[in-house]
Amino acid sequence: LEQAVLGAGGRACAAEAGAQAFSWDGPPRAFVLLTLGRLSVRLRTRTRLVPVAECRASAGQDCMPVTAAILAGGTLDVTATCLERSRWLELEPAALRRLVTRDAAFRRALFAQHARRLPHVFQRLAGAACLPLERRIAEWLLVNMRDGAVETTHQALAADLVTAREVVSRRLKEFAARGWIEQGRGHIRVTGAAALSRLARGE
């Protein structure tokens, strides 16, 4: 996959752990193939009734929802964060469509990888929906944090987690009382990232 993407004009990118790899709202701007590290990719469709989902990619893997949106001509609200130091290739959507159409070996390798990964993706999504709300909020804050803060409202956070604003507000108040966050108008500053990380892992 890597050689085919490079041969088709793929561009190399890199970022450190915790950095935003890419963020798009609308038609995906590139096919993404990870060559080093891991990415957490948060996404939703343009319909706000559909909750945020997460897909993870490791070295040698593409971002499946982005690939699907490119091939289907769809749109996504997507943000990818580096879970560790990462490198990846970006290929223009038109070039990906040409590769899939004209290169049978690339097409087979790409879709065979998807077939292997999909059961794990579905298992992760189903498991995440069953987690206690406190863990889901903690993970959401960590994934969406930039420079120690999250720009959001209680209503937006609740919509992403498909729950009531009042429930989210109560949990955030508890987090603040424990010294894990500080709340402001339209933003939340994370002051206890290690504690939130332990909670997100269920420890």
Side-chain angles (χ1 to χ4, degrees):
L1 292 178
E2 184 176 345
Q3 290 305 312
V5 171
L6 285 170
R11 179 175 65 94
C13 304
E16 296 300 317
Q20 180 176 290
F22 54 85
S23 182
W24 304 318
D25 185 5
R29 299 176 193 169
F31 167 76
V32 177
L33 180 67
L34 197 63
T35 58
L36 176 73
R38 291 186 303 143
L39 294 179
S40 168
V41 186
R42 303 277 291 184
L43 59 118
R44 69 155 72 247
T45 65
R46 285 294 186 90
T47 303
R48 296 294 293 184
L49 295 177
V50 179
V52 165
E54 182 196 23
C55 176
R56 294 193 178 183
S58 301
Q61 299 177 344
D62 66 315
C63 177
M64 288 193 294
V66 170
T67 302
I70 291 173
L71 296 179
T75 60
L76 283 176
D77 180 348
V78 59
T79 300
T81 303
C82 297
L83 297 175
E84 54 192 66
R85 186 168 65 89
S86 301
R87 293 199 299 265
W88 65 95
L89 300 175
E90 293 187 1
L91 182 66
E92 293 184 354
L96 172 67
R97 288 190 285 267
R98 286 194 296 270
L99 258 183
V100 170
T101 300
R102 301 173 184 175
D103 189 330
F106 174 84
R107 186 170 61 246
R108 285 195 298 270
L110 180 66
F111 294 154
Q113 180 203 116
H114 288 189
R116 291 192 299 270
R117 293 170 62 196
L118 276 172
H120 301 287
V121 172
F122 292 144
Q123 183 180 42
R124 178 177 177 80
L125 291 176
C130 298
L131 291 177
L133 183 60
E134 292 85 354
R135 290 180 59 182
R136 293 165 58 201
I137 293 175
E139 183 175 19
W140 191 97
L141 290 171
L142 292 170
V143 169
N144 289 278
M145 181 175 62
R146 299 289 180 273
D147 298 322
V150 183
E151 300 297 324
T152 189
T153 64
H154 292 193
Q155 184 62 55
L157 199 163
D160 278 355
L161 297 180
V162 197
T163 188
R165 181 186 61 78
E166 294 79 6
V167 176
V168 165
S169 296
R170 284 198 299 271
R171 296 299 189 277
L172 291 176
K173 186 176 180 180
E174 293 170 4
F175 286 6
R178 295 173 185 172
W180 297 349
I181 64 170
E182 294 175 355
Q183 300 193 72
R185 188 174 182 83
H187 74 275
I188 299 169
R189 176 158 294 280
V190 175
T191 53
L196 288 177
S197 181
R198 290 192 294 271
L199 176 59
R201 295 194 301 269
E203 296 177 359

